[in-house]
Amino acid sequence: MRALNPAPSGAPLAIGAKLRATRLAQALTIADVAAASNLSTGFISRVERDETSPSVSSLVALCQVLSLQLGSLFEVPDNEVIALVDAALINMGGQGAIEKLLTPRGESRVQVLRSTLAPGASGGDELYTINCDVEVLHVLSGSLVLRLVGGDVELSAGDTMTVAGRQPHSWDNRSGGQTELLWTIVPAAWSGSS
């Protein structure tokens, strides 16, 4: 069987939006970029609206003026949908908790976990730390007691708390019902291949 060569996707490259966003982030006008790149304002405007395909030399000139890596214009964004029913089950060490990873396993910038805590669920008697810069805990439903060195903090549905990374803590579901939480950990405490 003969191997087939990959074919172009046919999907348009939307480089104009990236160029425009970079220009605006630097508070440059189209006229500023035109003067620095020796390209016309009309041409740059059409490129930013993806109405024309610039030559390689024009793209290089625009990227140089904008201090933008040429290759970054062609990077495919990392977008992935993870349905809750398909989210990976993980174990962060708590008792009475069902925990799901809502971000891709290989994502190192952030982790989002959804925890379903049974009545009496606990993160353990001992305080623990997570190797991250910051944790954000959001209570979707029910209530939770977050245990910190300085004392307990009671959180109810709708409450959000930010905890400094590596701060010793634990948690308890002291309510008589189920509690649903979202944990956001920045950067990801761990990541692996999918």
Side-chain angles (χ1 to χ4, degrees), residues 53-169:
S53 296
S55 67
V56 172
S57 61
S58 296
L59 272 182
V60 168
L62 289 170
C63 287
Q64 286 175 340
V65 168
L66 297 171
S67 299
L68 183 65
Q69 292 288 329
L70 181 63
S72 69
L73 292 175
F74 306 101
E75 292 174 350
V76 177
D78 294 332
N79 299 326
E80 185 173 341
V81 174
I82 297 179
L84 182 59
V85 297
D86 297 327
L89 285 172
I90 60 170
N91 182 352
M92 295 294 283
Q95 302 161 350
I98 298 171
E99 297 171 313
K100 291 190 167 196
L101 180 62
L102 301 182
T103 46
R105 286 186 182 271
E107 176 59 69
S108 61
R109 296 167 294 183
V110 65
Q111 281 181 329
V112 178
L113 311 174
R114 182 168 177 147
S115 298
T116 302
L117 309 179
S122 173
D125 293 334
E126 299 293 322
L127 301 183
Y128 63 88
T129 61
I130 293 182
N131 184 23
C132 66
D133 293 334
V134 67
E135 285 181 74
V136 179
L137 166 63
H138 178 74
V139 181
L140 296 168
S141 65
S143 63
L144 182 83
V145 174
L146 190 64
R147 290 186 284 123
L148 304 167
V149 173
D152 294 351
V153 178
E154 295 185 24
L155 301 169
S156 300
D159 291 346
T160 303
M161 183 168 180
T162 302
V163 179
R166 299 171 197 84
Q167 179 178 354
H169 63 283

